[in-house]
Amino acid sequence: MKIKAFLIGTLCLLMVMPLWADELTFTASGPSQVGLGERFRVVYSASKRPSDFKGPDFGDFLVLSGPNQSSSSSTQIINGQVTRSENHSYTYILESTSEGTFTISPASITVNGDRYESNALSILVSGQAPQASKQPAPVPGQQQAPGSSGVSDRDIFLRALVSNSSPYQGQPITLTYKLYTRVVVSQYSIEKLPTYQGFWAEDVTGSGQPPQVTEEVVDGVRYNAAIVRQVVLFPQRVGELTIEPLDMQTLVRVSAPRMSGSLLDEFFGGSPFGSFQNVDKPLRSHQVRVNVKTLPAQNRPPSFTGMVGSFEMKTELSPLQANVNEPVTLSISISGNGNLRMLEQPDVQFPVNLEAFDPNITDNIRVSASGVSGSRSFEYLLIPRTGGTFEIPAIQFSYFDPVGGRYVTRTGEPFSVEISGSAQAMGEGPGGVNQEEVSYLTSDIRFIQNKVFRLKPIGSMFFRSNLFYALLLGTIVLFGLFLFVWRRHIRIHGDTALMRNRKARKMAAKRLKKAGAFLEKGKSNEFYDEIFRALWGYLSDKFNIPVSELNKEEVSLVFKQKEVSQEMAQKFLEALNECEFARFAPGAPEVRMEEIYQRAMDTLVTLEKELKNKKS
Amino acid sequence: MGKQVIILFFAIFFFGIPVRGIEPNELIEQANQAYVNGEYSYSIELYESVIKQKLEAPELYYNLGNAYFKENKFGPAILNYERALRLKPSDENIRFNLEIARSRIVDQINPVPLIFYENWWKSFYSLFSPNTWAVLLILLLVVSLVLLGIFFFSWIRGIKKTTFSLAVLFLLLTFVCMGAARAQYYHLFQKQEAIVMTPRVTAKSSPDETSPDLFVIHEGSKARITNELGEWYEIRLVNGNVGWLKRSAVEII
């Protein structure tokens, strides 16, 4: 019976044990109510090691950190039974951003190929953040630790230390952020890095490496001190510069009172899980002031470009003998401690016929807590374009030594390079092919002129030649001569007519006067003669027609040609007729002669008037 | 007509004197053949020997420029293209090859751009060489004088009117030709221009070896000579830079 009962009991136990062991719990825990802007913690804990954890979408909450994984296991012997418990937790630190009730959807894990989901969380966000907002809300999944959340500033603090608070401008100083703690820091993160205004900053900390912890005593209290971050700063400005504080966020593990109060727990010193709780502790370093001294103006060498530290310079030229278009390399290497990244290329006086390209800069720079060290080298490619011996003067490099407080100048050796050959075919040298040439390779010049062409002696130029001037002048002179001769001809030819034309009136007047005299004397024949002469002569003179050719028909023709009015022509011819008639009419009275005289006068005057009018 | 007289005169002159063995036209033919065969340096020698006889032609300079170009000697190539262009400013082939040669040299100096009417005037007077302009000028003058003569002869109003206005027009054209000839002549000959013949030369601020360096110009670049002193030239680049160079560094076009 006893045996049977034992067997059954053992069997039951055997049956139950695996079942019990297989039982998996996966729960989400978090506060049910938080203030607005409050930071709180949500923990997902699983009783078995999951192979895959998928966190939920926190939606309206800001994830400050997480998931932070932690694992713990404990073995308990209760009444002779050994129970092993495991706990794997994933912790998120969240911050509420808006009021209301929010649901955080379940997270999921995979254990042995099966997926498990946690419970969903419902969180009410209301009102302003409580005073102790930086302290975490109690997490139900872990043991409560009332009143233990307060971590004092004496327990943990952050310090910013500079290696030299009054450096020269450009002299590197090391800024160290040290975390002093008497408590266990389970996690820390840097919230905000200062911008280091007025400095050139080089980060020393090789992130990823755990900080080295040393023990230090501050005000009689023993602390664990860890260098959180180290920066090398090069002051760029003179005067008092301020380094802004650094903000850090830490999770501090503080001990919590036992919940079970089991003697066994006491004995084992408490399991890591359940006996402690993590508390948020924000930290901030103090402002640091640095007084930057200006570099002395005295004895400043001309080759000084602002480098501070201690340096060595090496210069090298190779090869010392080359052919035209073969490259020669000049390398300048400056090594030492100082801000090598700010190092400019030294001023080198290259000979004109050595074509220098922009230097190739190679850096080998290390940043450590003691500053920046290493080397920077400049490699110049020089292409000699012509033959000969070229001198490169000694290269100088100056820096300020802050330790000695003086300027130091390093001088290289002068070089002399011998180039053989002569300048030929630029495109054939190894470095001589320029880009333009490549881009135009497709287009070629046009072919030569292979037809026969006329050669002329050099400098033969028609324009401005004597022949040109002779032709130019000759044409003008010839024309002038021609014009002169022609004008003369016209003058000679035309002047008699003109003269007669001009004198016509005078002549007529003279004859009429004569006729008047004959009239007084009663000599009728002479009188008529003169009248006739006056009339005919006037026409002859005026129109340049010989008297012998004049008759009445001719006169009317000329009048028509010269566009003399019909009445005038009529009048003139009438006067002529009357005169002729009276001349041959016997015994003409004196009264009639008087009348004819008047009429001839009148006719001539009006004709003269009309002709004058026509001319003008 | 005048040109032909001169040519005839010189033709007689040269035929009359036994020219060193081979006739220039034969030399040119040989040089052209050498060019076709790719023996550029030989063709250069032959072309140069013709020029040494104090003979020239735009085609000769053009061919010589081509030969230098093929030898990758862009400085002399540009020099000869420029010389060819002086004798035949309107030739398209010369301009084309000169452009290509210029694109191969190191310096790309950008000239100060001209105002639009300067451009018109420049492209107008570049139409012909000064000689052509001069011939045109004389022809136009003769025509205008004949017209003027007719004007003086004629008693008929209509003829007088047309001949007079035509004469004035042709006289104006004569003056335009005169201006173009002068401008082209000045542009090509009075403005002393030179081509840099050394691969790289530094212009100094004064005619002195020790004076400070101003700028560096490379083979093939064109510069105007504005002054000279001893073995130095003062040059001016199209972009306005002025400096002194050794005479040996450049060759006048």
Side-chain angles (χ1 to χ4, degrees), chain A residues 352-353 355 436 444 446-449 453-454 456-458 461-463 467-468 472 479 482-483, chain B residues 2 54-56 59 62-63 66 70 92-93 96-97 100 108 130-131 134 137 145 152-153 200 202:
Chain A
V352 168
N353 285 318
E355 196 162 345
E436 281 145 277
D444 193 17
R446 295 193 179 161
F447 192 64
I448 51 165
Q449 178 66 255
F453 44 83
R454 280 193 314 216
K456 286 184 291 182
I458 288 175
M461 188 73 187
F462 175 59
F463 181 66
L467 185 80
F468 168 75
L472 203 67
F479 180 74
F482 167 77
L483 218 63
Chain B
K54 295 221 175 294
L55 288 173
E56 66 176 4
E59 295 86 354
Y62 170 76
N63 290 0
N66 277 3
K70 291 284 184 186
E92 207 242 328
N93 286 340
F96 181 86
N97 285 5
I100 289 191
Q108 299 294 329
N131 282 357
L137 183 164
L145 291 182
F152 280 122
F153 263 114
R200 198 183 142 103
T202 310

CSV table of all heavy atoms in Angstrom, one decimal, chain A residues 352-353 355 436 444 446-449 453-454 456-458 461-463 467-468 472 479 482-483, chain B residues 2 54-56 59 62-63 66 70 92-93 96-97 100 108 130-131 134 137 145 152-153 200 202:
chain,number,residue,atom,x,y,z
A,352,VAL,N,59.4,78.7,-61.7
A,352,VAL,CA,58.3,78.9,-62.7
A,352,VAL,C,58.2,77.7,-63.6
A,352,VAL,O,57.0,77.3,-63.9
A,352,VAL,CB,58.6,80.2,-63.5
A,352,VAL,CG1,57.7,80.3,-64.7
A,352,VAL,CG2,58.4,81.4,-62.6
A,353,ASN,N,59.3,77.1,-64.1
A,353,ASN,CA,59.1,76.0,-65.1
A,353,ASN,C,58.8,74.7,-64.5
A,353,ASN,O,58.8,73.7,-65.2
A,353,ASN,CB,60.4,76.0,-65.9
A,353,ASN,CG,60.4,77.1,-66.9
A,353,ASN,OD1,59.4,77.4,-67.5
A,353,ASN,ND2,61.5,77.8,-67.1
A,355,GLU,N,55.8,72.9,-63.0
A,355,GLU,CA,54.4,73.1,-62.8
A,355,GLU,C,54.0,72.3,-61.6
A,355,GLU,O,54.2,71.1,-61.5
A,355,GLU,CB,53.7,72.6,-64.1
A,355,GLU,CG,52.3,73.1,-64.1
A,355,GLU,CD,51.7,73.0,-65.5
A,355,GLU,OE1,52.4,72.8,-66.5
A,355,GLU,OE2,50.4,73.1,-65.6
A,436,GLU,N,41.4,69.2,-71.2
A,436,GLU,CA,40.9,69.8,-72.3
A,436,GLU,C,41.2,69.0,-73.6
A,436,GLU,O,40.4,68.8,-74.4
A,436,GLU,CB,41.4,71.2,-72.5
A,436,GLU,CG,40.8,72.2,-71.6
A,436,GLU,CD,41.7,73.2,-71.1
A,436,GLU,OE1,42.5,73.0,-70.2
A,436,GLU,OE2,41.8,74.3,-71.7
A,444,ASP,N,39.0,67.1,-85.2
A,444,ASP,CA,40.3,67.3,-85.8
A,444,ASP,C,40.3,68.5,-86.6
A,444,ASP,O,39.3,69.1,-87.0
A,444,ASP,CB,40.7,66.1,-86.6
A,444,ASP,CG,42.1,66.0,-87.0
A,444,ASP,OD1,42.9,66.7,-86.4
A,444,ASP,OD2,42.5,65.3,-88.0
A,446,ARG,N,41.0,70.8,-90.0
A,446,ARG,CA,40.7,70.6,-91.4
A,446,ARG,C,41.9,70.4,-92.2
A,446,ARG,O,43.0,70.8,-91.8
A,446,ARG,CB,39.8,71.7,-91.9
A,446,ARG,CG,38.5,71.8,-91.2
A,446,ARG,CD,37.5,72.7,-91.8
A,446,ARG,NE,36.3,72.7,-91.1
A,446,ARG,CZ,35.4,73.6,-91.2
A,446,ARG,NH1,35.6,74.6,-92.0
A,446,ARG,NH2,34.3,73.6,-90.5
A,447,PHE,N,41.7,69.8,-93.3
A,447,PHE,CA,42.9,69.4,-94.1
A,447,PHE,C,43.6,70.6,-94.7
A,447,PHE,O,43.0,71.7,-94.9
A,447,PHE,CB,42.4,68.4,-95.2
A,447,PHE,CG,43.5,67.7,-95.9
A,447,PHE,CD1,44.3,66.8,-95.2
A,447,PHE,CD2,43.8,67.9,-97.2
A,447,PHE,CE1,45.4,66.2,-95.8
A,447,PHE,CE2,44.8,67.3,-97.9
A,447,PHE,CZ,45.6,66.4,-97.2
A,448,ILE,N,44.8,70.4,-95.1
A,448,ILE,CA,45.6,71.5,-95.7
A,448,ILE,C,45.0,71.9,-97.1
A,448,ILE,O,44.3,71.1,-97.7
A,448,ILE,CB,47.1,71.1,-95.9
A,448,ILE,CG1,47.2,69.7,-96.7
A,448,ILE,CG2,47.8,71.0,-94.6
A,448,ILE,CD1,48.5,69.4,-97.2
A,449,GLN,N,45.4,73.0,-97.5
A,449,GLN,CA,45.0,73.6,-98.8
A,449,GLN,C,46.0,73.0,-99.8
A,449,GLN,O,47.2,73.4,-99.8
A,449,GLN,CB,45.1,75.1,-98.7
A,449,GLN,CG,44.8,75.8,-100.0
A,449,GLN,CD,43.3,75.6,-100.4
A,449,GLN,OE1,43.1,74.9,-101.3
A,449,GLN,NE2,42.4,76.3,-99.7
A,453,PHE,N,48.5,77.7,-105.1
A,453,PHE,CA,48.1,79.1,-104.7
A,453,PHE,C,49.3,80.1,-105.0
A,453,PHE,O,50.4,79.7,-105.2
A,453,PHE,CB,47.7,79.2,-103.2
A,453,PHE,CG,48.6,78.5,-102.3
A,453,PHE,CD1,49.8,79.0,-101.8
A,453,PHE,CD2,48.3,77.2,-101.8
A,453,PHE,CE1,50.6,78.4,-101.0
A,453,PHE,CE2,49.2,76.5,-101.0
A,453,PHE,CZ,50.3,77.1,-100.5
A,454,ARG,N,48.9,81.3,-105.1
A,454,ARG,CA,49.8,82.3,-105.5
A,454,ARG,C,50.6,82.8,-104.3
A,454,ARG,O,50.1,83.1,-103.2
A,454,ARG,CB,49.1,83.5,-106.1
A,454,ARG,CG,48.8,83.2,-107.6
A,454,ARG,CD,48.4,84.5,-108.2
A,454,ARG,NE,47.5,85.3,-107.4
A,454,ARG,CZ,46.5,86.0,-107.9
A,454,ARG,NH1,46.3,86.1,-109.2
A,454,ARG,NH2,45.7,86.7,-107.1
A,456,LYS,N,53.1,85.5,-102.6
A,456,LYS,CA,53.5,86.9,-102.7
A,456,LYS,C,54.7,87.2,-101.8
A,456,LYS,O,54.8,86.6,-100.8
A,456,LYS,CB,52.3,87.8,-102.2
A,456,LYS,CG,51.2,87.8,-103.3
A,456,LYS,CD,50.1,88.7,-102.8
A,456,LYS,CE,49.3,88.2,-101.6
A,456,LYS,NZ,48.3,89.1,-101.2
A,457,PRO,N,55.5,88.2,-102.2
A,457,PRO,CA,56.6,88.5,-101.3
A,457,PRO,C,56.0,89.0,-99.9
A,457,PRO,O,55.0,89.7,-99.9
A,457,PRO,CB,57.3,89.7,-102.0
A,457,PRO,CG,56.7,89.8,-103.3
A,457,PRO,CD,55.4,89.1,-103.3
A,458,ILE,N,56.7,88.7,-98.9
A,458,ILE,CA,56.2,89.1,-97.5
A,458,ILE,C,56.2,90.6,-97.4
A,458,ILE,O,57.1,91.3,-97.9
A,458,ILE,CB,57.2,88.4,-96.5
A,458,ILE,CG1,56.9,86.9,-96.4
A,458,ILE,CG2,56.9,89.1,-95.1
A,458,ILE,CD1,57.8,86.2,-95.5
A,461,MET,N,51.8,94.8,-99.7
A,461,MET,CA,50.5,95.2,-99.2
A,461,MET,C,50.0,96.3,-100.1
A,461,MET,O,50.7,97.2,-100.4
A,461,MET,CB,50.7,95.7,-97.8
A,461,MET,CG,49.5,96.0,-97.0
A,461,MET,SD,48.7,94.4,-96.5
A,461,MET,CE,47.3,95.1,-95.8
A,462,PHE,N,48.8,96.0,-100.7
A,462,PHE,CA,48.3,97.1,-101.6
A,462,PHE,C,47.8,98.3,-100.8
A,462,PHE,O,48.2,99.4,-101.2
A,462,PHE,CB,47.2,96.4,-102.5
A,462,PHE,CG,46.5,97.4,-103.3
A,462,PHE,CD1,47.3,98.2,-104.3
A,462,PHE,CD2,45.2,97.7,-103.2
A,462,PHE,CE1,46.6,99.1,-105.1
A,462,PHE,CE2,44.6,98.6,-104.0
A,462,PHE,CZ,45.3,99.3,-105.0
A,463,PHE,N,47.1,98.0,-99.8
A,463,PHE,CA,46.6,99.1,-99.0
A,463,PHE,C,47.7,99.8,-98.3
A,463,PHE,O,48.6,99.1,-97.8
A,463,PHE,CB,45.6,98.5,-97.9
A,463,PHE,CG,45.0,99.6,-97.0
A,463,PHE,CD1,44.2,100.5,-97.5
A,463,PHE,CD2,45.3,99.6,-95.7
A,463,PHE,CE1,43.6,101.5,-96.7
A,463,PHE,CE2,44.8,100.6,-94.8
A,463,PHE,CZ,43.9,101.6,-95.4
A,467,LEU,N,51.4,102.6,-104.6
A,467,LEU,CA,50.5,102.4,-105.7
A,467,LEU,C,49.1,102.8,-105.3
A,467,LEU,O,48.4,103.5,-106.0
A,467,LEU,CB,50.6,101.0,-106.2
A,467,LEU,CG,49.7,100.7,-107.4
A,467,LEU,CD1,50.5,101.2,-108.7
A,467,LEU,CD2,49.3,99.3,-107.5
A,468,PHE,N,48.8,102.3,-104.1
A,468,PHE,CA,47.4,102.6,-103.5
A,468,PHE,C,47.2,104.1,-103.4
A,468,PHE,O,46.2,104.7,-103.9
A,468,PHE,CB,47.2,102.0,-102.2
A,468,PHE,CG,46.0,102.4,-101.4
A,468,PHE,CD1,44.8,102.0,-101.8
A,468,PHE,CD2,46.1,103.3,-100.3
A,468,PHE,CE1,43.6,102.4,-101.1
A,468,PHE,CE2,45.0,103.7,-99.7
A,468,PHE,CZ,43.8,103.3,-100.1
A,472,LEU,N,44.7,106.5,-105.6
A,472,LEU,CA,43.8,107.3,-104.9
A,472,LEU,C,43.9,108.8,-105.3
A,472,LEU,O,42.9,109.4,-105.7
A,472,LEU,CB,44.0,107.1,-103.4
A,472,LEU,CG,42.8,107.4,-102.5
A,472,LEU,CD1,41.7,106.4,-102.8
A,472,LEU,CD2,43.2,107.4,-101.1
A,479,PHE,N,40.2,113.8,-111.8
A,479,PHE,CA,38.9,114.3,-111.7
A,479,PHE,C,38.9,115.8,-111.6
A,479,PHE,O,38.2,116.5,-112.3
A,479,PHE,CB,38.1,113.7,-110.6
A,479,PHE,CG,36.7,114.2,-110.5
A,479,PHE,CD1,35.7,113.7,-111.4
A,479,PHE,CD2,36.3,115.0,-109.5
A,479,PHE,CE1,34.4,114.2,-111.3
A,479,PHE,CE2,35.0,115.5,-109.4
A,479,PHE,CZ,34.1,115.1,-110.3
A,482,PHE,N,40.0,117.4,-114.7
A,482,PHE,CA,38.9,117.4,-115.7
A,482,PHE,C,37.9,118.4,-115.4
A,482,PHE,O,37.5,119.2,-116.3
A,482,PHE,CB,38.3,116.0,-115.7
A,482,PHE,CG,37.0,115.9,-116.4
A,482,PHE,CD1,37.0,115.8,-117.8
A,482,PHE,CD2,35.8,115.9,-115.7
A,482,PHE,CE1,35.8,115.7,-118.5
A,482,PHE,CE2,34.6,115.8,-116.4
A,482,PHE,CZ,34.6,115.7,-117.8
A,483,LEU,N,37.6,118.5,-114.1
A,483,LEU,CA,36.6,119.5,-113.7
A,483,LEU,C,37.0,120.9,-114.0
A,483,LEU,O,36.2,121.7,-114.5
A,483,LEU,CB,36.3,119.3,-112.2
A,483,LEU,CG,34.9,119.4,-111.8
A,483,LEU,CD1,34.0,118.4,-112.4
A,483,LEU,CD2,34.8,119.3,-110.3
B,2,GLY,N,46.1,97.0,-110.1
B,2,GLY,CA,47.3,97.4,-109.4
B,2,GLY,C,48.0,96.2,-108.9
B,2,GLY,O,49.2,96.0,-109.0
B,54,LYS,N,61.2,84.7,-98.3
B,54,LYS,CA,60.4,85.9,-98.2
B,54,LYS,C,59.1,85.9,-99.1
B,54,LYS,O,58.8,86.9,-99.7
B,54,LYS,CB,61.2,87.2,-98.5
B,54,LYS,CG,62.4,87.4,-97.5
B,54,LYS,CD,62.6,88.8,-97.2
B,54,LYS,CE,63.6,89.1,-96.1
B,54,LYS,NZ,63.3,88.5,-94.8
B,55,LEU,N,58.5,84.7,-99.1
B,55,LEU,CA,57.3,84.6,-99.9
B,55,LEU,C,56.2,84.2,-98.9
B,55,LEU,O,56.5,83.5,-97.9
B,55,LEU,CB,57.4,83.5,-100.9
B,55,LEU,CG,58.3,83.8,-102.1
B,55,LEU,CD1,58.5,82.6,-103.0
B,55,LEU,CD2,57.7,85.0,-102.9
B,56,GLU,N,55.0,84.6,-99.1
B,56,GLU,CA,53.9,84.2,-98.2
B,56,GLU,C,52.6,84.1,-99.0
B,56,GLU,O,52.5,84.6,-100.1
B,56,GLU,CB,53.8,85.2,-97.1
B,56,GLU,CG,53.3,86.6,-97.5
B,56,GLU,CD,53.1,87.5,-96.4
B,56,GLU,OE1,53.3,87.2,-95.3
B,56,GLU,OE2,52.6,88.7,-96.7
B,59,GLU,N,47.4,80.5,-97.6
B,59,GLU,CA,47.3,79.0,-97.6
B,59,GLU,C,48.6,78.4,-97.1
B,59,GLU,O,48.6,77.3,-96.5
B,59,GLU,CB,47.1,78.5,-99.1
B,59,GLU,CG,45.7,79.0,-99.6
B,59,GLU,CD,45.8,80.3,-100.3
B,59,GLU,OE1,46.8,81.0,-100.2
B,59,GLU,OE2,44.7,80.7,-100.9
B,62,TYR,N,48.6,78.6,-93.4
B,62,TYR,CA,47.5,77.6,-93.0
B,62,TYR,C,48.1,76.2,-93.0
B,62,TYR,O,48.0,75.5,-92.0
B,62,TYR,CB,46.3,77.8,-93.9
B,62,TYR,CG,45.3,76.7,-93.7
B,62,TYR,CD1,44.4,76.8,-92.6
B,62,TYR,CD2,45.1,75.7,-94.6
B,62,TYR,CE1,43.4,75.8,-92.5
B,62,TYR,CE2,44.1,74.7,-94.5
B,62,TYR,CZ,43.3,74.8,-93.4
B,62,TYR,OH,42.3,73.9,-93.3
B,63,ASN,N,48.7,75.8,-94.1
B,63,ASN,CA,49.3,74.5,-94.1
B,63,ASN,C,50.4,74.2,-93.1
B,63,ASN,O,50.4,73.2,-92.5
B,63,ASN,CB,49.8,74.2,-95.5
B,63,ASN,CG,48.7,74.1,-96.6
B,63,ASN,OD1,47.6,74.2,-96.2
B,63,ASN,ND2,49.1,73.9,-97.8
B,66,ASN,N,48.8,73.7,-89.8
B,66,ASN,CA,48.3,72.4,-89.7
B,66,ASN,C,49.4,71.4,-89.4
B,66,ASN,O,49.3,70.5,-88.5
B,66,ASN,CB,47.7,71.9,-91.0
B,66,ASN,CG,46.3,72.4,-91.1
B,66,ASN,OD1,45.8,73.1,-90.2
B,66,ASN,ND2,45.6,72.1,-92.2
B,70,LYS,N,49.7,69.0,-86.0
B,70,LYS,CA,49.9,67.6,-86.0
B,70,LYS,C,51.1,67.1,-85.2
B,70,LYS,O,51.1,66.0,-84.7
B,70,LYS,CB,50.0,67.0,-87.5
B,70,LYS,CG,48.7,67.2,-88.3
B,70,LYS,CD,47.7,66.2,-87.9
B,70,LYS,CE,46.4,66.3,-88.8
B,70,LYS,NZ,45.4,65.4,-88.3
B,92,GLU,N,37.2,80.5,-93.7
B,92,GLU,CA,36.5,79.7,-92.6
B,92,GLU,C,37.4,78.6,-92.1
B,92,GLU,O,37.4,78.3,-90.9
B,92,GLU,CB,35.2,79.2,-93.2
B,92,GLU,CG,34.2,78.9,-92.2
B,92,GLU,CD,33.8,77.5,-92.2
B,92,GLU,OE1,33.9,76.8,-93.2
B,92,GLU,OE2,33.5,77.0,-91.1
B,93,ASN,N,38.1,78.0,-93.0
B,93,ASN,CA,39.0,76.9,-92.6
B,93,ASN,C,40.1,77.3,-91.6
B,93,ASN,O,40.3,76.7,-90.6
B,93,ASN,CB,39.7,76.2,-93.8
B,93,ASN,CG,38.8,75.4,-94.6
B,93,ASN,OD1,37.8,75.0,-94.1
B,93,ASN,ND2,39.1,75.2,-95.9
B,96,PHE,N,38.4,77.9,-88.3
B,96,PHE,CA,38.1,76.7,-87.6
B,96,PHE,C,39.3,76.0,-86.9
B,96,PHE,O,39.2,75.6,-85.8
B,96,PHE,CB,37.5,75.7,-88.7
B,96,PHE,CG,37.0,74.4,-88.1
B,96,PHE,CD1,35.7,74.3,-87.6
B,96,PHE,CD2,37.9,73.3,-88.1
B,96,PHE,CE1,35.3,73.1,-87.1
B,96,PHE,CE2,37.5,72.1,-87.6
B,96,PHE,CZ,36.2,72.0,-87.1
B,97,ASN,N,40.4,75.9,-87.7
B,97,ASN,CA,41.5,75.2,-87.2
B,97,ASN,C,42.2,76.0,-86.0
B,97,ASN,O,42.7,75.5,-85.1
B,97,ASN,CB,42.6,75.0,-88.3
B,97,ASN,CG,42.2,73.8,-89.2
B,97,ASN,OD1,41.1,73.3,-89.0
B,97,ASN,ND2,43.0,73.5,-90.1
B,100,ILE,N,40.3,75.2,-82.9
B,100,ILE,CA,40.7,73.9,-82.3
B,100,ILE,C,42.1,74.0,-81.7
B,100,ILE,O,42.2,73.5,-80.6
B,100,ILE,CB,40.7,72.9,-83.4
B,100,ILE,CG1,39.2,72.6,-83.8
B,100,ILE,CG2,41.3,71.6,-83.0
B,100,ILE,CD1,39.0,71.4,-84.7
B,108,GLN,N,43.0,79.6,-71.1
B,108,GLN,CA,41.7,80.0,-71.8
B,108,GLN,C,41.4,81.4,-71.2
B,108,GLN,O,40.8,81.6,-70.2
B,108,GLN,CB,40.6,79.1,-71.4
B,108,GLN,CG,40.9,77.6,-71.9
B,108,GLN,CD,40.9,77.5,-73.4
B,108,GLN,OE1,40.3,78.2,-74.1
B,108,GLN,NE2,41.7,76.6,-73.9
B,130,PRO,N,42.6,94.2,-95.9
B,130,PRO,CA,42.8,95.6,-96.3
B,130,PRO,C,43.0,95.8,-97.8
B,130,PRO,O,42.5,96.8,-98.3
B,130,PRO,CB,44.0,96.0,-95.5
B,130,PRO,CG,44.2,95.0,-94.4
B,130,PRO,CD,43.5,93.7,-94.9
B,131,ASN,N,43.6,94.9,-98.4
B,131,ASN,CA,43.9,95.0,-99.9
B,131,ASN,C,42.6,95.0,-100.6
B,131,ASN,O,42.3,95.9,-101.5
B,131,ASN,CB,44.7,93.9,-100.4
B,131,ASN,CG,46.2,94.1,-100.0
B,131,ASN,OD1,46.5,95.1,-99.5
B,131,ASN,ND2,47.0,93.1,-100.4
B,134,ALA,N,40.8,98.1,-100.1
B,134,ALA,CA,41.5,99.2,-100.8
B,134,ALA,C,41.1,99.2,-102.3
B,134,ALA,O,40.8,100.3,-102.8
B,134,ALA,CB,43.0,99.1,-100.7
B,137,LEU,N,37.6,100.4,-102.5
B,137,LEU,CA,37.6,101.8,-102.2
B,137,LEU,C,37.8,102.6,-103.5
B,137,LEU,O,37.1,103.5,-103.8
B,137,LEU,CB,38.7,102.1,-101.2
B,137,LEU,CG,39.0,103.4,-100.5
B,137,LEU,CD1,39.8,103.1,-99.3
B,137,LEU,CD2,39.7,104.4,-101.4
B,145,LEU,N,33.0,109.5,-108.8
B,145,LEU,CA,33.5,110.7,-109.5
B,145,LEU,C,32.9,110.8,-110.9
B,145,LEU,O,32.6,111.8,-111.4
B,145,LEU,CB,35.1,110.7,-109.6
B,145,LEU,CG,35.8,110.9,-108.3
B,145,LEU,CD1,37.3,110.9,-108.4
B,145,LEU,CD2,35.3,112.2,-107.6
B,152,PHE,N,27.8,117.2,-113.5
B,152,PHE,CA,28.2,118.5,-113.9
B,152,PHE,C,28.0,118.7,-115.4
B,152,PHE,O,27.6,119.8,-115.9
B,152,PHE,CB,29.7,118.7,-113.7
B,152,PHE,CG,30.0,119.1,-112.2
B,152,PHE,CD1,30.8,118.3,-111.5
B,152,PHE,CD2,29.4,120.2,-111.7
B,152,PHE,CE1,31.1,118.6,-110.1
B,152,PHE,CE2,29.7,120.5,-110.4
B,152,PHE,CZ,30.5,119.8,-109.6
B,153,PHE,N,28.1,117.7,-116.2
B,153,PHE,CA,27.9,117.7,-117.7
B,153,PHE,C,26.4,118.1,-118.0
B,153,PHE,O,26.2,118.9,-118.8
B,153,PHE,CB,28.2,116.4,-118.3
B,153,PHE,CG,29.6,116.3,-118.9
B,153,PHE,CD1,30.6,115.5,-118.3
B,153,PHE,CD2,30.0,117.1,-119.9
B,153,PHE,CE1,31.8,115.5,-118.8
B,153,PHE,CE2,31.2,117.1,-120.4
B,153,PHE,CZ,32.2,116.3,-119.9
B,200,ARG,N,55.9,77.7,-70.8
B,200,ARG,CA,55.4,78.4,-69.6
B,200,ARG,C,56.2,79.6,-69.3
B,200,ARG,O,57.4,79.5,-69.3
B,200,ARG,CB,55.5,77.4,-68.4
B,200,ARG,CG,54.7,77.7,-67.2
B,200,ARG,CD,55.0,76.7,-66.1
B,200,ARG,NE,55.0,77.3,-64.8
B,200,ARG,CZ,54.0,77.2,-64.0
B,200,ARG,NH1,53.0,76.4,-64.2
B,200,ARG,NH2,54.0,77.8,-62.8
B,202,THR,N,56.5,83.4,-67.1
B,202,THR,CA,55.9,84.3,-66.0
B,202,THR,C,56.1,85.7,-66.4
B,202,THR,O,57.1,86.2,-66.8
B,202,THR,CB,56.7,84.1,-64.7
B,202,THR,OG1,56.8,82.7,-64.5
B,202,THR,CG2,56.0,84.7,-63.6
